[in-house]
Amino acid sequence: MNQSNDNAADFNRRDFLKGSTFAAMMTMMGGVQLMTPSASAQTSPPPDAGPKVKVAVIGLGAWGREILDQLGRLEKAEIVAICDNYPAMMRRSATKAPGAKQVEDYQELLKDASIQAVIIATGTHQHKDIVIAALKAGKHVYCEAPLAHTVEDARAIALAAKESTAQVFQVGLQGRSDPQRHFLLPFIRSGALGKPVMARAHWHKKQSWRQASPNSDREKAINWRLTKATSPGLIGEIGIHAIDQAGWFFNIEPVAVTGFSSTMLWKDDGRDVPDTVEAVIEFPGGIRMNYNASLATSFDSENELLYGTDATVMMRQDNTGSKAWMFKEVDSPLLGWEVYARRDNFFNETGIVLAAGSSKQTALIEGAQTQQAPPAHYHALKAFLSNCNEVTAAVADFKASYENADKQALADYVLSLKVGQTPDRPAAGYQEGFVATVLALKINEAATTSKRIEFKKEWFELA
Amino acid sequence: MKTNTQLTSIKTLVALSLATLFTAGALAEGVRYEPKPAASKCTITGASGDSFMSHDWTMKSPMISGYIEADAKFPESALTDAATAKPTVHVKIPVRTFKSAKSATMDEKMQLMMSVTNCPNVEYRLIELKPKSKAGAVGALHFEAVGTLSIAGKTLTNTMLVTIEKKADTLTVKGSAPVKMTEYGITPRVSVPVLGDISIKDEVKIDFEWQLPKKAATAPAAAPALAK
């Protein structure tokens, strides 16, 4: 594992204050939103320059269709093809991508040279073959998280992506692209929470996870999440995001996990994947994260909490986008700007809003509380398309400039661009995706076997 | 009937003539230098025009393509006989490769300001190289380069001071050129989210360091095999 590769790895309080000085000053002068320019983009995205990217979506289940919805909002997306081998899914998706070619076989789709990028939203166990074929076909690839349902498949995908240096490979860890979370990152890493104490996250949705189909073979295929042979479980499918985020925010790597799981509600439908899981993830210095997820209760939906000795941050996601609040300890030092920030009450706690539109005045004037912001995966897809354009242009420029240059020189040049690491187009690459996937799979293993697992460094290393 | 002495003289003359011809040919033959990737850089430095929020900005490109063709003794030869040594220089920098390393959105805006769509490259062609170092100088030699600089589709004559040094068959050219954007038809103003339009000072400075190894001679094609 290597969090230190992150370009935003090192923050200090001075850096954070430098970045927020203008916003704080304007807040005092008259109530401008207390936010970073990137956070402002969340509510009024600037027009995108550059050509449209011809993109195809492979896998048209509920999440694939959600991706089509978000692509439809993105100026740079031109959906030229959709792909699924289940006609019902294709029919449901057709209206979301009018004019797009409908292809049943992904290998046929990859032969289309006009398609620049593919977004893979199939079952997790199907990712490997499709990703590797897409990279071989020269496509930019966005692969949903987790990368795979086994460590071996995840490694194969990450290695193929690593070798495809002239293409973009992005993993659907959308929190890594969310401007709201990038606003929080320097705040948390600069020590505004004091000394990290612990983290807690949960995801509760009372639902079966089962999809209906009149055909028994098809039903088995579309319910791949309910079978251990093909499913990384609740931790792999859902928990991967919150667990990745905790390590990212605290900039630390977990060392061990103890897990538990049970099937509390959906006992009689033949599944062998638990509907309720819990894991205690250990980090260095005695910091632990408690994660639980359940399909048997909906109470409190989902949230993530990062506790520090001076303050705790709570992050939540709803239909108005990603939100965060800070809860200060009574003996914590005054940061200054929080005096002007908006506050929300949670039972007998008061949360200071850490979000776009967070000043008291703006909330009164603009009704910022009800403003709908795009979800995190909108930003992840936007970054992907922009990065596709950047790499496509870079490769073309390089080849035009250096006719006789070798492949390694081109790879070095593309790497030097640090695509996906610019503040306004951040994205999780193969390294982050691989580490998060291995971590989630091992935590899922701990949960399903009720064991304590100590992480070995070599599990997270790519050959 | 020619005597043996006469024949020997003719042979000597022919041999000498051939030797002279070959030598002259070798001298006249130009050497071509072509840049390798990742060995060059070009930086545009400017400042925002707003005195309240004024700050310096830079955009860098690591990609300077093109070539220099010159005689074998260049650049030293250009100090003594500029006419003979006169090199052919063509420089091309893709506008899209200029980055600030801060904001991809801002980069795109700056590139659009430079008319990247219609004029994708900044180009330079040398017209004349005037020596500024004394004959016999060694190391980094100073010249005044007069050439045409094309930015955003407009071509103007540019004069700048450069140094040229040859080490181990690699030329290193360094220089700096002040440029006024409005002279190239560029309106120095970008639109930034939240802050609105930001004016940029008209004067910018282009600094470059260009490394060009001598292009390896292409090996003659091997004779095709006649047998299986």
Side-chain angles (χ1 to χ4, degrees), chain A residues 53 313 326 336 449 458:
Chain A
V53 178
V313 162
M326 176 175 66
T449 57
E458 59 266 28

Side-chain angles (χ1 to χ4, degrees), chain A residues 308-324:
Chain A
T309 52
D310 288 340
T312 293
V313 162
M314 177 168 72
M315 293 170 276
R316 303 192 79 122
Q317 185 89 30
D318 66 10
N319 61 359
T320 60
S322 191
K323 298 262 173 56

Side-chain angles (χ1 to χ4, degrees), chain A residues 322-393:
Chain A
S322 191
K323 298 262 173 56
W325 296 262
M326 176 175 66
F327 300 85
K328 294 191 71 179
E329 297 291 330
V330 289
D331 61 348
S332 64
L334 188 69
L335 297 167
W337 55 262
E338 72 266 42
V339 174
Y340 305 96
R342 208 182 72 225
R343 288 157 194 264
D344 289 336
N345 290 325
F346 295 83
F347 190 46
N348 55 357
E349 298 280 355
T350 301
I352 298 165
V353 177
L354 298 171
S358 62
S359 75
K360 293 170 186 171
Q361 293 88 339
T362 308
L364 286 170
I365 295 164
E366 297 180 3
Q369 275 179 299
T370 54
Q371 206 164 28
Q372 186 146 359
H377 50 284
Y378 166 90
H379 296 289
L381 292 165
K382 185 179 177 184
F384 175 65
L385 297 174
S386 294
N387 291 333
C388 288
N389 266 338
E390 183 172 3
V391 170
T392 301

Side-chain angles (χ1 to χ4, degrees), chain B residues 107-121:
Chain B
D107 293 350
E108 279 184 357
K109 289 179 185 301
M110 291 294 284
Q111 291 160 13
L112 284 172
M113 197 176 79
M114 293 170 72
S115 304
V116 64
T117 313
N118 297 324
C119 312
N121 296 303

Side-chain angles (χ1 to χ4, degrees), chain A residues 26-172:
Chain A
M26 293 305 283
T27 302
M28 285 184 277
M29 286 171 66
V32 172
Q33 294 173 341
L34 186 60
M35 60 184 180
T36 59
S38 59
S40 73
Q42 190 177 346
T43 49
S44 57
D48 281 346
K52 285 179 182 263
V53 178
K54 291 184 191 303
V55 63
V57 177
I58 303 174
L60 303 173
W63 190 248
R65 296 195 297 275
E66 170 60 23
I67 284 172
L68 285 174
D69 284 341
Q70 297 306 326
L71 287 174
R73 302 171 68 182
L74 285 162
E75 196 184 343
K76 280 186 183 172
E78 182 182 350
I79 307 166
V80 292
I82 53 175
C83 176
D84 202 299
N85 57 12
Y86 188 19
M89 300 295 183
M90 194 79 92
R91 281 196 299 275
R92 282 187 217 173
S93 306
T95 54
K96 296 175 186 291
K101 191 164 68 172
Q102 298 180 13
V103 186
E104 192 179 329
D105 180 357
Y106 77 86
Q107 288 174 326
E108 282 302 311
L109 179 139
L110 295 177
K111 287 179 188 168
D112 185 341
S114 71
I115 295 171
Q116 296 171 276
V118 293
I119 295 167
I120 297 165
T122 60
T124 299
H125 62 296
Q126 296 169 316
H127 285 176
K128 187 185 87 173
D129 290 346
I130 303 173
V131 169
I132 290 173
L135 289 170
K136 272 191 184 159
K139 312 297 183 194
H140 302 298
V141 173
Y142 183 106
C143 177
E144 271 307 333
L147 283 183
H149 69 308
T150 67
V151 172
E152 293 72 27
D153 277 13
R155 187 181 300 279
I157 287 172
L159 285 172
K162 186 182 179 185
E163 285 164 17
S164 304
T165 46
Q167 293 150 252
V168 174
F169 180 82
Q170 185 172 331
V171 183

Side-chain angles (χ1 to χ4, degrees), chain B residues 82-145:
Chain B
T84 306
K86 182 189 169 187
T88 305
V89 179
H90 184 200
V91 178
K92 202 159 75 172
I93 308 174
V95 173
R96 288 189 300 204
T97 61
F98 281 103
K99 312 269 183 201
S100 64
K102 287 185 178 171
S103 159
T105 307
M106 275 301 290
D107 293 350
E108 279 184 357
K109 289 179 185 301
M110 291 294 284
Q111 291 160 13
L112 284 172
M113 197 176 79
M114 293 170 72
S115 304
V116 64
T117 313
N118 297 324
C119 312
N121 296 303
V122 171
E123 292 196 53
Y124 178 85
R125 286 178 195 275
L126 182 73
I127 297 170
E128 187 181 3
L129 198 59
K130 298 176 182 173
K132 290 289 177 187
S133 293
K134 289 181 180 172
V138 291
L141 307 178
H142 295 260
F143 297 91
E144 183 180 84

